[in-house]
Amino acid sequence: TIHYLGSHRYQIAYTGPGGSVADAKTIPNPAEAAATAISCIAKLKAPQEDPSLLEKYPDITGGDATIKTTYTVGLVYADSSKDYAAGKIPTDVSIEVDMRSNNTDNILIMDRQMQECFQDGVDTVNARYTGGVQLAKEQRWYGDRPAYVLTAEQMSTSPMLAAISYAHQKVNGQQLKLTDPSSASSVNSNVPAAIGIPTVNINYGKTAANGQGHSFN
């Protein structure tokens, strides 16, 4: 892998005191905040769908509407270590999201929009409760990888790639195939590549045990 797909992956947790269903009018429900945020995210557009987004955030200047950006809400859950029942208000409801692009600023534009949705979730629910009890919002990162894609010129002039291709030909009798940007991957090699350190990620086919390759563990 010589091209690196940028990605942001993190969890947003809404937390509160929880309580009995009898307290539903006085205690804010983190599940409602999560639902509000997800409803907002469902209406978002990526830069390729709405190029005007490139002008919405003046501090993010390198977006490119020709480069696809993808995003999703991947998981929503309540903390399974706590005792929940149908008649309980949960204390902790979390949302995990993922967004990817070959352009780092496209990811930042997508992330900025998501952050507005997450804030809307907590603000909307807290505004309905005036008794002093409020929900809190916490962001828990587990993947912040900048994008890095080699240009055609870099691919043709890189001595590192030439050396790898030469070694591969000596061992296997054929020229090494270097993938194009459509086959970019989001791995830990993104970081050295993005700060200018020549980087190649070599995968021998080993996959993470039981999947979960993008999870906390």
Side-chain angles (χ1 to χ4, degrees):
T1 300
I2 59 172
H3 303 290
Y4 299 100
L5 179 71
S7 63
H8 280 187
R9 300 181 177 112
Y10 55 80
Q11 177 189 100
I12 292 290
Y14 294 108
T15 58
S20 166
V21 67
D23 301 318
K25 295 297 183 182
T26 58
I27 294 179
N29 190 330
E32 295 176 8
T36 300
I38 293 169
S39 178
C40 175
I41 290 170
K43 301 183 182 82
L44 296 182
K45 295 186 183 299
Q48 74 269 15
E49 300 167 304
D50 182 4
S52 71
L53 288 167
L54 301 182
E55 311 298 326
K56 184 176 180 180
Y57 305 102
D59 58 316
I60 305 174
T61 58
D64 187 339
T66 68
I67 298 177
K68 183 172 71 172
T69 303
T70 59
Y71 61 97
T72 189
V73 173
L75 186 64
V76 180
Y77 59 94
D79 189 339
S80 59
S81 68
K82 298 184 175 70
D83 181 24
Y84 290 123
K88 296 280 189 181
I89 300 169
T91 60
D92 185 320
V93 175
S94 302
I95 305 171
E96 290 189 11
V97 294
D98 177 298
M99 57 210 84
R100 311 178 190 189
S101 178
N102 277 348
N103 181 291
T104 298
D105 286 319
N106 282 12
I107 299 171
L108 295 177
I109 290 170
M110 202 69 245
D111 200 339
R112 192 71 64 81
Q113 294 185 88
M114 282 204 176
Q115 291 294 337
E116 292 169 359
C117 287
F118 292 131
Q119 188 63 42
D120 182 54
V122 71
D123 289 346
T124 298
V125 173
N126 281 340
R128 293 202 294 264
Y129 296 86
T130 58
V133 177
Q134 298 277 275
L135 295 181
K137 175 175 67 70
E138 178 187 359
Q139 182 169 342
R140 302 165 180 168
W141 280 96
Y142 61 99
D144 180 0
R145 298 184 174 102
Y148 185 80
V149 176
L150 290 170
T151 65
E153 181 182 3
Q154 287 172 320
M155 290 178 66
S156 64
T157 59
S158 168
M160 180 177 65
L161 297 184
I164 291 172
S165 295
Y166 178 78
H168 185 79
Q169 190 170 15
K170 287 295 185 182
V171 173
N172 297 297
Q174 60 184 354
Q175 193 75 5
L176 179 66
K177 181 182 178 182
L178 299 176
T179 59
D180 62 36
S182 65
S183 300
S185 297
S186 189
V187 293
N188 290 336
S189 297
N190 282 52
V191 175
I195 62 173
I197 299 173
T199 304
V200 170
N201 184 271
I202 300 173
N203 189 328
Y204 286 95
K206 177 69 175 174
T207 57
N210 302 318
Q212 300 183 11
H214 296 316
S215 65
F216 283 115
N217 58 348

